[in-house]
Amino acid sequence: MPGGDMKTPLLADSDPDAPGPPPRRPGAPVVGIIGSGDYSRSLAIRLVASGFGVVVGSRDPRRIASGLFPEGVRLRSQREAADGADGVVFAALYPEHYHTLAGLRDGLAGKVLVDVSNAAGPNGGEPSNAERLAELFPQSRVVKGFNVLSAWALQAGAHDGSRQVLICGDCRDSKAAVVQLVRRLGFSPVDLGGLAASRAIEEAPLQLFPPWGGPVLVTLLLFLFFYGYNFLRHVLLPYLDHGENNFYQLPLQTVNQTLPAVSLVTLALVYLPGLVAAVLQLGRGTKYERFPGWLDRWLCRRKQLGLLSFLCAGAHAVYSMCLTLRRAAGYTLLNAAYRQVKAGVENSWVEQQVWRSDLYLSCGILGLGVLTLLAITSLPSVGNALNWREFTFVQSGLGYAALTLSIMHTLFFGWDFAFSSLAYPYFLPPVFLLALILPCVVLVGRVLLALPCLAFRLAKIRRGWESSRHRCPRDQEPIEEAPPQNFGDV
C-alpha cells in the first residue's frame, strides 16, 4: 500500500481518467490485487510474466509513481479492481485494514478471495486472518495461500519453481482454481485442507528453523560438557595443583580436543534411535504399534544431527591444520629440538608413532570424506534423484562406515595410551575414552542386529508379519508400506 495519511478512506474515488472496470485482454484471465505495496508489485510482476492480466486496486491510484508496476498492469480504484477481476482477487494489505473493504462485498461476491497475510504472533486459539476475512465476506470464497512466499521469491523467476505454496480453504472448487494459479506461476501447491488450517499456515513464517532446535541444543550441551571436561582436566586442575599455566590452550587446542568428541557422539545419536526402534519392533513382534513420542521426534531429527556432526568434523579438520601455525607449536618444536641436541640424539624416528599417526590420519580423512557424501545426499535436490535403495545404501550403509572409520580414527589416536597410568591424571580418563562409549555401543548393537536370527525376524516384521499374539482371528494380508526417507535406517 502506498504511504500517506492512514485516516484516508481505503475506498477512494475512482481515477477520473479511467472510469469503469479495466478492459480484459483477449484470452488472458484477469487477476485482481487489492493493495499496491511491495508485495502487490512483486505479485503483479509474476502474474504478468506468467501470462495473466492484472488489475491493481489502490485507495488512490494517482499517488502511485509511474513505472512502479510493470507494463500491462491496470491501476484502478479498489472497487474497480474488485469488479474487473475475472474470478481470483488477492487481498494484499494488512489484516487491520480488512474491515475498510466492507463496501466491496458486492464486487467480490462469488469470487475467490486469496488472503496472503501472516500472523503477527501466536494467535492463542483466536480466529486466523483468513477466517476473519471469510466472516467479513460471506459471499466470497476465501482461500489462504501465498503467505509463505516473500516479495523477493515472487520476483525470482522460474528458477524458484521448487518452492512450495501452502493453501487451504473450505471450497474445493476455489482451492482448485488457486492450485492451478500456483502451478501457472511456477510453484508447487500443497493443499492442507479446510480454512481452519490457516492458523498454522499463517504462523509458519514466524518459525525459526523449527526442526533444528532440539539437535542444536543437544550438540551445544555436548560441546559444553566436553569443553568443560577438557578445561578441568588440562587447564584448571594443573593450575590449582602445581601452578601450571595452560590457559593459552582455551581458544584453539581445547576447542580442537572437544570438536571430534562432539562429532563422534552426535554421529552415534543419528543411528541409535534406529537401533532402539528395531529392538522395540523385535520385542513387540509387529511394526503396527506406534513408537513413543520421544522416539518419533528423535527419528525425525536424525538428518539435522548428522549435518551437525559433519559441521563439527569439518571444523575439527580445519582446527587441526591450524595447530602447526600457532606460536606455541613453534616454541614446543624448538624446545624439543634443543633437548634432542642436548641429549645427543641423532635420529628420533619411532616406528610405532609413525604408524600410529598415519593410521589415525588416514581413517580421519576417509571418515570425513564419507560424512561429506552423507551431507551432500541429504540435500533435497540430490536425495530426490536417488531411489529408495540408493538412498538407504548411502545414508545407512555408508553412514555406519563413517561411524566405523571415526571410531578407528579415535582408537588409533589413543593407541595404547588408555592403558598407561599417565593417561589418568587426577583419576580422570582421557576425553577420547568418554567419546567412544556411545559409538561403540551403537556399532555393537548394529552387529548384533545383523545376526541372521535377528535380521531375518526383523525383515519379516518390517514386511508386515506379526507374531501370534498380534494376529486377528482371520489371517489378513500384510499392508505394504514404503519406509520413511530419513537420515539413516529405521
Side-chain angles (χ1 to χ4, degrees):
M1 294 178 295
D5 186 3
M6 294 305 297
K7 295 181 180 179
T8 303
L10 293 180
L11 293 176
D13 294 334
S14 301
D15 187 347
D17 297 332
R24 302 181 183 180
R25 295 189 304 175
V30 177
V31 177
I33 304 176
I34 306 298
S36 54
D38 292 336
Y39 196 88
S40 173
R41 181 168 61 89
S42 300
L43 183 59
I45 292 173
R46 188 82 175 203
L47 287 167
V48 170
S50 300
F52 290 94
V54 179
V55 53
V56 174
S58 173
R59 56 185 175 181
D60 190 357
R62 291 169 293 190
R63 297 179 60 181
I64 300 177
S66 176
L68 185 64
F69 283 83
E71 185 180 354
V73 174
R74 272 75 168 176
L75 299 177
R76 299 291 187 267
S77 70
Q78 293 173 337
R79 186 183 301 277
E80 291 172 325
D83 294 338
D86 285 341
V88 178
V89 179
F90 285 86
L93 66 165
Y94 289 107
E96 54 263 32
H97 302 308
Y98 282 172
H99 69 280
T100 63
L101 303 179
L104 302 181
R105 286 195 179 100
D106 293 339
L108 295 175
K111 295 182 179 179
V112 179
L113 188 56
V114 182
D115 176 44
V116 300
S117 66
N118 289 320
N123 59 26
E126 297 294 326
S128 65
N129 297 333
E131 289 173 320
R132 291 199 297 268
L133 191 64
E135 292 177 1
L136 289 172
F137 297 91
Q139 296 180 336
S140 301
R141 297 171 292 177
V142 175
V143 175
K144 185 71 188 183
F146 285 85
N147 65 300
V148 295
L149 295 177
S150 64
W152 178 88
L154 286 168
Q155 298 188 47
H159 298 291
D160 205 30
S162 61
R163 186 180 293 272
Q164 293 181 338
V165 176
L166 309 180
I167 63 173
C168 68
D170 293 332
C171 177
R172 180 180 301 178
D173 294 338
S174 302
K175 286 195 296 183
V178 177
V179 165
Q180 183 180 7
L181 177 63
V182 169
R183 288 176 177 155
R184 283 279 302 272
L185 296 183
F187 298 109
S188 302
V190 178
D191 186 354
L192 296 185
L195 199 61
S198 60
R199 303 177 186 180
I201 295 177
E202 289 178 2
E203 294 181 1
L206 303 179
Q207 300 177 358
L208 183 63
F209 304 111
W212 288 85
V216 169
L217 179 61
V218 170
T219 305
L220 179 61
L221 292 176
L222 286 173
F223 183 87
L224 292 176
F225 169 76
F226 284 113
Y227 188 88
Y229 185 85
N230 283 318
F231 169 73
L232 178 68
R233 187 175 184 271
H234 296 291
V235 179
L236 184 60
L237 289 179
Y239 178 77
L240 296 177
D241 187 21
H242 47 272
E244 183 179 350
N245 187 1
N246 293 327
F247 286 92
Y248 70 91
Q249 299 179 1
L250 294 179
L252 195 145
Q253 189 169 343
T254 305
V255 174
N256 191 48
Q257 293 171 345
T258 302
L259 287 172
V262 176
S263 177
L264 186 57
V265 175
T266 307
L267 185 60
L269 291 176
V270 173
Y271 295 99
L272 180 59
L275 299 181
V276 175
V279 171
L280 285 177
Q281 289 176 339
L282 286 172
R284 294 170 174 176
T286 180
K287 71 170 184 177
Y288 297 109
E289 289 188 20
R290 290 188 60 86
F291 295 136
W294 59 268
L295 183 56
D296 270 335
R297 291 189 293 271
W298 193 356
L299 289 168
C300 293
R301 298 296 182 265
R302 291 179 293 176
K303 173 182 176 179
Q304 288 77 17
L305 287 170
L307 291 175
L308 290 171
S309 174
F310 169 69
L311 173 64
C312 293
H316 168 58
V318 175
Y319 268 86
S320 297
M321 289 187 293
C322 294
L323 286 177
T324 57
L325 303 178
R326 299 178 304 146
R327 180 68 64 179
Y331 291 150
T332 301
L333 182 61
L334 288 174
N335 291 338
Y338 174 77
R339 288 193 298 268
Q340 179 177 335
V341 172
K342 188 175 180 179
V345 178
E346 296 183 359
N347 187 0
S348 59
W349 181 278
V350 180
E351 187 75 17
Q352 185 185 49
Q353 295 301 320
V354 170
W355 276 100
R356 167 180 172 262
S357 64
D358 286 2
L359 287 173
Y360 88 76
L361 286 174
S362 178
C363 290
I365 293 171
L366 291 174
L368 180 60
V370 178
L371 272 179
T372 304
L373 180 60
L374 295 177
I376 292 174
T377 53
S378 67
L379 298 174
S381 58
V382 179
N384 292 340
L386 305 176
N387 61 37
W388 173 243
R389 186 175 183 183
E390 294 168 342
F391 187 85
T392 304
F393 170 76
V394 173
Q395 296 293 343
S396 181
L398 293 185
Y400 274 103
L403 182 62
T404 303
L405 288 169
S406 301
I407 292 175
M408 292 175 61
H409 169 71
T410 308
L411 290 175
F412 283 130
F413 173 81
W415 205 247
D416 58 354
F417 186 60
F419 303 102
S420 172
S421 60
L422 298 176
Y424 299 88
Y426 312 105
F427 304 101
L428 295 176
V431 70
F432 71 85
L433 282 183
L434 298 180
L436 279 173
I437 295 174
L438 187 61
C440 288
V441 169
V442 172
L443 196 59
V444 171
R446 185 67 184 89
V447 171
L448 292 177
L449 288 178
L451 296 176
C453 56
L454 296 178
F456 179 70
R457 179 182 175 88
L458 185 61
K460 288 202 306 179
I461 291 174
R462 289 177 173 173
R463 292 180 64 85
W465 177 86
E466 294 183 287
S467 62
S468 57
R469 66 179 182 273
H470 293 285
R471 292 175 186 169
C472 298
R474 288 182 172 179
D475 292 336
Q476 297 179 351
E477 301 225 350
I479 302 175
E480 293 291 336
E481 292 185 359
Q485 295 195 13
N486 283 327
F487 194 97
D489 63 335
V490 177

